[in-house]
Amino acid sequence: MSLAQDRLALATKDGRVSVVNTRNGETHWKVDLKTNLNTGAGFDGKFAAVVTTGNELVVMNDGRVVWRSRLTAQSFTNPLVAGERVFVMLADRSVMAFDQATGQRLWTQVRPGEGLVLKQNGVLTAFRNNVLVGLGGKLTALDPDNGVLRWE
């Protein structure tokens, strides 16, 4: 579940994604992906993103799938849709950034040797032109343009 611009994006485990107007409850758009999901929806008010159990990142807009991308590992953290990009944190604790409109992979930040990963939503959010990621018990800031570590 993700809220932006008076709209709420909701995703069900069985692959139904809806965007609802929070003022009147009307459904703005919906998509049935017909596959199970590992994550909830990330949403910026226009684009919504989810990750399937088949390790596929799916980005939607206005009731249609815009693009899909196969991921290298599972993800249990809701994607972050911000700044015309889609960010995902994978179970191996790598972080990937994609162009929101085209699906082109922009960068990958790999943190080898991270500890145990539980099958639950982790920290992935935006703050002051940083992508904040929970890695190995630390909050880490990455540059959204290139994935370079800013601080931890």
PDB file of all heavy atoms in Angstrom, residues 85 87-88 94-99 104-110 131 133 142-148:
ATOM      1  N   ARG A  85      12.291   7.318 -11.430  1.00  0.00           N
ATOM      2  CA  ARG A  85      13.026   6.062 -11.343  1.00  0.00           C
ATOM      3  C   ARG A  85      12.224   5.059 -10.510  1.00  0.00           C
ATOM      4  O   ARG A  85      11.374   5.437  -9.728  1.00  0.00           O
ATOM      5  CB  ARG A  85      14.395   6.277 -10.699  1.00  0.00           C
ATOM      6  CG  ARG A  85      15.364   7.031 -11.576  1.00  0.00           C
ATOM      7  CD  ARG A  85      16.670   7.310 -10.847  1.00  0.00           C
ATOM      8  NE  ARG A  85      17.678   7.861 -11.711  1.00  0.00           N
ATOM      9  CZ  ARG A  85      17.663   9.075 -12.242  1.00  0.00           C
ATOM     10  NH1 ARG A  85      16.667   9.882 -11.991  1.00  0.00           N
ATOM     11  NH2 ARG A  85      18.638   9.490 -13.015  1.00  0.00           N
ATOM     12  N   PHE A  87      13.218   1.958  -7.866  1.00  0.00           N
ATOM     13  CA  PHE A  87      14.304   1.339  -7.113  1.00  0.00           C
ATOM     14  C   PHE A  87      13.783   0.057  -6.477  1.00  0.00           C
ATOM     15  O   PHE A  87      12.662   0.029  -5.961  1.00  0.00           O
ATOM     16  CB  PHE A  87      14.801   2.271  -6.008  1.00  0.00           C
ATOM     17  CG  PHE A  87      15.259   3.615  -6.508  1.00  0.00           C
ATOM     18  CD1 PHE A  87      14.388   4.692  -6.555  1.00  0.00           C
ATOM     19  CD2 PHE A  87      16.562   3.796  -6.940  1.00  0.00           C
ATOM     20  CE1 PHE A  87      14.802   5.930  -7.011  1.00  0.00           C
ATOM     21  CE2 PHE A  87      16.992   5.034  -7.396  1.00  0.00           C
ATOM     22  CZ  PHE A  87      16.102   6.108  -7.443  1.00  0.00           C
ATOM     23  N   VAL A  88      14.612  -0.992  -6.502  1.00  0.00           N
ATOM     24  CA  VAL A  88      14.257  -2.244  -5.826  1.00  0.00           C
ATOM     25  C   VAL A  88      15.434  -2.711  -4.987  1.00  0.00           C
ATOM     26  O   VAL A  88      16.590  -2.549  -5.372  1.00  0.00           O
ATOM     27  CB  VAL A  88      13.834  -3.359  -6.813  1.00  0.00           C
ATOM     28  CG1 VAL A  88      12.509  -3.051  -7.465  1.00  0.00           C
ATOM     29  CG2 VAL A  88      14.889  -3.625  -7.857  1.00  0.00           C
ATOM     30  N   SER A  94      21.304  -6.328  -2.736  1.00  0.00           N
ATOM     31  CA  SER A  94      21.708  -5.407  -3.796  1.00  0.00           C
ATOM     32  C   SER A  94      20.531  -4.468  -4.044  1.00  0.00           C
ATOM     33  O   SER A  94      19.373  -4.787  -3.747  1.00  0.00           O
ATOM     34  CB  SER A  94      22.086  -6.163  -5.068  1.00  0.00           C
ATOM     35  OG  SER A  94      20.990  -6.901  -5.573  1.00  0.00           O
ATOM     36  N   VAL A  95      20.838  -3.290  -4.551  1.00  0.00           N
ATOM     37  CA  VAL A  95      19.820  -2.288  -4.872  1.00  0.00           C
ATOM     38  C   VAL A  95      19.972  -1.955  -6.347  1.00  0.00           C
ATOM     39  O   VAL A  95      21.087  -1.761  -6.836  1.00  0.00           O
ATOM     40  CB  VAL A  95      19.991  -1.015  -4.018  1.00  0.00           C
ATOM     41  CG1 VAL A  95      18.941   0.022  -4.370  1.00  0.00           C
ATOM     42  CG2 VAL A  95      19.929  -1.362  -2.532  1.00  0.00           C
ATOM     43  N   MET A  96      18.836  -1.910  -7.058  1.00  0.00           N
ATOM     44  CA  MET A  96      18.855  -1.606  -8.487  1.00  0.00           C
ATOM     45  C   MET A  96      17.967  -0.406  -8.762  1.00  0.00           C
ATOM     46  O   MET A  96      16.945  -0.215  -8.091  1.00  0.00           O
ATOM     47  CB  MET A  96      18.350  -2.809  -9.288  1.00  0.00           C
ATOM     48  CG  MET A  96      19.147  -4.071  -9.068  1.00  0.00           C
ATOM     49  SD  MET A  96      18.390  -5.514  -9.845  1.00  0.00           S
ATOM     50  CE  MET A  96      19.127  -5.382 -11.448  1.00  0.00           C
ATOM     51  N   ALA A  97      18.362   0.386  -9.765  1.00  0.00           N
ATOM     52  CA  ALA A  97      17.560   1.526 -10.207  1.00  0.00           C
ATOM     53  C   ALA A  97      17.232   1.354 -11.682  1.00  0.00           C
ATOM     54  O   ALA A  97      18.085   0.954 -12.477  1.00  0.00           O
ATOM     55  CB  ALA A  97      18.322   2.826  -9.992  1.00  0.00           C
ATOM     56  N   PHE A  98      15.984   1.671 -12.032  1.00  0.00           N
ATOM     57  CA  PHE A  98      15.502   1.564 -13.404  1.00  0.00           C
ATOM     58  C   PHE A  98      14.891   2.891 -13.824  1.00  0.00           C
ATOM     59  O   PHE A  98      14.295   3.600 -13.005  1.00  0.00           O
ATOM     60  CB  PHE A  98      14.415   0.484 -13.513  1.00  0.00           C
ATOM     61  CG  PHE A  98      14.893  -0.897 -13.207  1.00  0.00           C
ATOM     62  CD1 PHE A  98      14.947  -1.357 -11.898  1.00  0.00           C
ATOM     63  CD2 PHE A  98      15.292  -1.755 -14.225  1.00  0.00           C
ATOM     64  CE1 PHE A  98      15.382  -2.639 -11.610  1.00  0.00           C
ATOM     65  CE2 PHE A  98      15.735  -3.030 -13.939  1.00  0.00           C
ATOM     66  CZ  PHE A  98      15.784  -3.482 -12.626  1.00  0.00           C
ATOM     67  N   ASP A  99      14.996   3.212 -15.109  1.00  0.00           N
ATOM     68  CA  ASP A  99      14.301   4.364 -15.651  1.00  0.00           C
ATOM     69  C   ASP A  99      12.806   4.081 -15.610  1.00  0.00           C
ATOM     70  O   ASP A  99      12.356   3.040 -16.089  1.00  0.00           O
ATOM     71  CB  ASP A  99      14.755   4.632 -17.085  1.00  0.00           C
ATOM     72  CG  ASP A  99      14.083   5.844 -17.677  1.00  0.00           C
ATOM     73  OD1 ASP A  99      12.966   5.686 -18.237  1.00  0.00           O
ATOM     74  OD2 ASP A  99      14.645   6.946 -17.578  1.00  0.00           O
ATOM     75  N   GLN A 104      14.853   0.726 -18.532  1.00  0.00           N
ATOM     76  CA  GLN A 104      16.298   0.524 -18.668  1.00  0.00           C
ATOM     77  C   GLN A 104      16.944   0.516 -17.292  1.00  0.00           C
ATOM     78  O   GLN A 104      16.697   1.396 -16.474  1.00  0.00           O
ATOM     79  CB  GLN A 104      16.916   1.637 -19.509  1.00  0.00           C
ATOM     80  CG  GLN A 104      18.420   1.516 -19.629  1.00  0.00           C
ATOM     81  CD  GLN A 104      19.030   2.696 -20.391  1.00  0.00           C
ATOM     82  OE1 GLN A 104      18.330   3.535 -20.930  1.00  0.00           O
ATOM     83  NE2 GLN A 104      20.348   2.743 -20.416  1.00  0.00           N
ATOM     84  N   ARG A 105      17.793  -0.489 -17.039  1.00  0.00           N
ATOM     85  CA  ARG A 105      18.516  -0.538 -15.766  1.00  0.00           C
ATOM     86  C   ARG A 105      19.574   0.558 -15.780  1.00  0.00           C
ATOM     87  O   ARG A 105      20.380   0.655 -16.699  1.00  0.00           O
ATOM     88  CB  ARG A 105      19.171  -1.884 -15.539  1.00  0.00           C
ATOM     89  CG  ARG A 105      19.764  -1.954 -14.127  1.00  0.00           C
ATOM     90  CD  ARG A 105      20.457  -3.224 -13.763  1.00  0.00           C
ATOM     91  NE  ARG A 105      19.914  -4.410 -14.374  1.00  0.00           N
ATOM     92  CZ  ARG A 105      20.513  -5.589 -14.326  1.00  0.00           C
ATOM     93  NH1 ARG A 105      21.653  -5.733 -13.696  1.00  0.00           N
ATOM     94  NH2 ARG A 105      19.982  -6.631 -14.908  1.00  0.00           N
ATOM     95  N   LEU A 106      19.573   1.388 -14.732  1.00  0.00           N
ATOM     96  CA  LEU A 106      20.495   2.516 -14.652  1.00  0.00           C
ATOM     97  C   LEU A 106      21.743   2.180 -13.857  1.00  0.00           C
ATOM     98  O   LEU A 106      22.838   2.599 -14.212  1.00  0.00           O
ATOM     99  CB  LEU A 106      19.790   3.728 -14.043  1.00  0.00           C
ATOM    100  CG  LEU A 106      18.546   4.210 -14.805  1.00  0.00           C
ATOM    101  CD1 LEU A 106      17.834   5.301 -14.027  1.00  0.00           C
ATOM    102  CD2 LEU A 106      18.927   4.672 -16.191  1.00  0.00           C
ATOM    103  N   TRP A 107      21.570   1.463 -12.739  1.00  0.00           N
ATOM    104  CA  TRP A 107      22.712   1.078 -11.918  1.00  0.00           C
ATOM    105  C   TRP A 107      22.318  -0.023 -10.942  1.00  0.00           C
ATOM    106  O   TRP A 107      21.141  -0.249 -10.689  1.00  0.00           O
ATOM    107  CB  TRP A 107      23.322   2.265 -11.168  1.00  0.00           C
ATOM    108  CG  TRP A 107      22.403   3.104 -10.322  1.00  0.00           C
ATOM    109  CD1 TRP A 107      21.853   4.305 -10.674  1.00  0.00           C
ATOM    110  CD2 TRP A 107      21.937   2.830  -8.993  1.00  0.00           C
ATOM    111  NE1 TRP A 107      21.075   4.792  -9.642  1.00  0.00           N
ATOM    112  CE2 TRP A 107      21.120   3.912  -8.597  1.00  0.00           C
ATOM    113  CE3 TRP A 107      22.136   1.790  -8.086  1.00  0.00           C
ATOM    114  CZ2 TRP A 107      20.488   3.973  -7.352  1.00  0.00           C
ATOM    115  CZ3 TRP A 107      21.513   1.838  -6.841  1.00  0.00           C
ATOM    116  CH2 TRP A 107      20.711   2.931  -6.494  1.00  0.00           C
ATOM    117  N   THR A 108      23.347  -0.684 -10.407  1.00  0.00           N
ATOM    118  CA  THR A 108      23.176  -1.692  -9.358  1.00  0.00           C
ATOM    119  C   THR A 108      24.238  -1.443  -8.302  1.00  0.00           C
ATOM    120  O   THR A 108      25.408  -1.255  -8.621  1.00  0.00           O
ATOM    121  CB  THR A 108      23.350  -3.121  -9.921  1.00  0.00           C
ATOM    122  OG1 THR A 108      22.390  -3.323 -10.962  1.00  0.00           O
ATOM    123  CG2 THR A 108      23.153  -4.163  -8.833  1.00  0.00           C
ATOM    124  N   GLN A 109      23.822  -1.436  -7.042  1.00  0.00           N
ATOM    125  CA  GLN A 109      24.750  -1.298  -5.911  1.00  0.00           C
ATOM    126  C   GLN A 109      24.750  -2.634  -5.181  1.00  0.00           C
ATOM    127  O   GLN A 109      23.704  -3.095  -4.730  1.00  0.00           O
ATOM    128  CB  GLN A 109      24.290  -0.182  -4.990  1.00  0.00           C
ATOM    129  CG  GLN A 109      25.002  -0.070  -3.657  1.00  0.00           C
ATOM    130  CD  GLN A 109      26.460   0.276  -3.765  1.00  0.00           C
ATOM    131  OE1 GLN A 109      27.290  -0.603  -3.693  1.00  0.00           O
ATOM    132  NE2 GLN A 109      26.766   1.554  -3.896  1.00  0.00           N
ATOM    133  N   VAL A 110      25.894  -3.283  -5.123  1.00  0.00           N
ATOM    134  CA  VAL A 110      26.010  -4.599  -4.492  1.00  0.00           C
ATOM    135  C   VAL A 110      26.789  -4.447  -3.193  1.00  0.00           C
ATOM    136  O   VAL A 110      27.846  -3.826  -3.160  1.00  0.00           O
ATOM    137  CB  VAL A 110      26.732  -5.597  -5.422  1.00  0.00           C
ATOM    138  CG1 VAL A 110      26.859  -6.947  -4.757  1.00  0.00           C
ATOM    139  CG2 VAL A 110      25.982  -5.711  -6.736  1.00  0.00           C
ATOM    140  N   VAL A 131      18.470   7.912  -1.743  1.00  0.00           N
ATOM    141  CA  VAL A 131      17.717   6.671  -1.586  1.00  0.00           C
ATOM    142  C   VAL A 131      18.225   6.057  -0.302  1.00  0.00           C
ATOM    143  O   VAL A 131      19.402   5.713  -0.189  1.00  0.00           O
ATOM    144  CB  VAL A 131      17.937   5.709  -2.779  1.00  0.00           C
ATOM    145  CG1 VAL A 131      17.204   4.406  -2.539  1.00  0.00           C
ATOM    146  CG2 VAL A 131      17.487   6.346  -4.074  1.00  0.00           C
ATOM    147  N   VAL A 133      18.412   3.068   2.326  1.00  0.00           N
ATOM    148  CA  VAL A 133      18.289   1.620   2.272  1.00  0.00           C
ATOM    149  C   VAL A 133      18.786   1.034   3.575  1.00  0.00           C
ATOM    150  O   VAL A 133      19.854   1.414   4.067  1.00  0.00           O
ATOM    151  CB  VAL A 133      19.137   1.054   1.099  1.00  0.00           C
ATOM    152  CG1 VAL A 133      18.941  -0.437   0.972  1.00  0.00           C
ATOM    153  CG2 VAL A 133      18.810   1.749  -0.203  1.00  0.00           C
ATOM    154  N   LEU A 142      22.160   6.295  -0.679  1.00  0.00           N
ATOM    155  CA  LEU A 142      22.742   6.135  -2.001  1.00  0.00           C
ATOM    156  C   LEU A 142      22.333   7.311  -2.874  1.00  0.00           C
ATOM    157  O   LEU A 142      21.231   7.842  -2.737  1.00  0.00           O
ATOM    158  CB  LEU A 142      22.254   4.838  -2.650  1.00  0.00           C
ATOM    159  CG  LEU A 142      22.514   3.538  -1.905  1.00  0.00           C
ATOM    160  CD1 LEU A 142      21.894   2.364  -2.661  1.00  0.00           C
ATOM    161  CD2 LEU A 142      24.004   3.319  -1.717  1.00  0.00           C
ATOM    162  N   ASP A 143      23.210   7.704  -3.792  1.00  0.00           N
ATOM    163  CA  ASP A 143      22.889   8.728  -4.779  1.00  0.00           C
ATOM    164  C   ASP A 143      21.901   8.122  -5.771  1.00  0.00           C
ATOM    165  O   ASP A 143      22.192   7.088  -6.375  1.00  0.00           O
ATOM    166  CB  ASP A 143      24.180   9.161  -5.493  1.00  0.00           C
ATOM    167  CG  ASP A 143      23.964  10.297  -6.462  1.00  0.00           C
ATOM    168  OD1 ASP A 143      22.969  10.263  -7.223  1.00  0.00           O
ATOM    169  OD2 ASP A 143      24.800  11.217  -6.481  1.00  0.00           O
ATOM    170  N   PRO A 144      20.709   8.726  -5.965  1.00  0.00           N
ATOM    171  CA  PRO A 144      19.724   8.133  -6.861  1.00  0.00           C
ATOM    172  C   PRO A 144      20.142   8.129  -8.326  1.00  0.00           C
ATOM    173  O   PRO A 144      19.610   7.358  -9.128  1.00  0.00           O
ATOM    174  CB  PRO A 144      18.480   8.992  -6.646  1.00  0.00           C
ATOM    175  CG  PRO A 144      18.988  10.279  -6.132  1.00  0.00           C
ATOM    176  CD  PRO A 144      20.234   9.960  -5.360  1.00  0.00           C
ATOM    177  N   ASP A 145      21.107   8.966  -8.702  1.00  0.00           N
ATOM    178  CA  ASP A 145      21.535   9.049 -10.099  1.00  0.00           C
ATOM    179  C   ASP A 145      22.530   7.971 -10.497  1.00  0.00           C
ATOM    180  O   ASP A 145      22.556   7.549 -11.643  1.00  0.00           O
ATOM    181  CB  ASP A 145      22.147  10.428 -10.384  1.00  0.00           C
ATOM    182  CG  ASP A 145      21.126  11.538 -10.272  1.00  0.00           C
ATOM    183  OD1 ASP A 145      19.934  11.296 -10.585  1.00  0.00           O
ATOM    184  OD2 ASP A 145      21.500  12.636  -9.848  1.00  0.00           O
ATOM    185  N   ASN A 146      23.368   7.509  -9.537  1.00  0.00           N
ATOM    186  CA  ASN A 146      24.412   6.563  -9.906  1.00  0.00           C
ATOM    187  C   ASN A 146      24.633   5.430  -8.908  1.00  0.00           C
ATOM    188  O   ASN A 146      25.473   4.577  -9.121  1.00  0.00           O
ATOM    189  CB  ASN A 146      25.730   7.293 -10.144  1.00  0.00           C
ATOM    190  CG  ASN A 146      26.143   8.131  -8.952  1.00  0.00           C
ATOM    191  OD1 ASN A 146      25.789   7.840  -7.815  1.00  0.00           O
ATOM    192  ND2 ASN A 146      26.897   9.189  -9.222  1.00  0.00           N
ATOM    193  N   GLY A 147      23.929   5.435  -7.776  1.00  0.00           N
ATOM    194  CA  GLY A 147      24.040   4.358  -6.804  1.00  0.00           C
ATOM    195  C   GLY A 147      25.249   4.451  -5.883  1.00  0.00           C
ATOM    196  O   GLY A 147      25.486   3.559  -5.077  1.00  0.00           O
ATOM    197  N   VAL A 148      26.016   5.535  -5.994  1.00  0.00           N
ATOM    198  CA  VAL A 148      27.210   5.695  -5.170  1.00  0.00           C
ATOM    199  C   VAL A 148      26.813   5.910  -3.701  1.00  0.00           C
ATOM    200  O   VAL A 148      25.884   6.669  -3.402  1.00  0.00           O
ATOM    201  CB  VAL A 148      28.067   6.880  -5.681  1.00  0.00           C
ATOM    202  CG1 VAL A 148      29.186   7.204  -4.716  1.00  0.00           C
ATOM    203  CG2 VAL A 148      28.623   6.551  -7.050  1.00  0.00           C
TER     204      VAL A 148
END
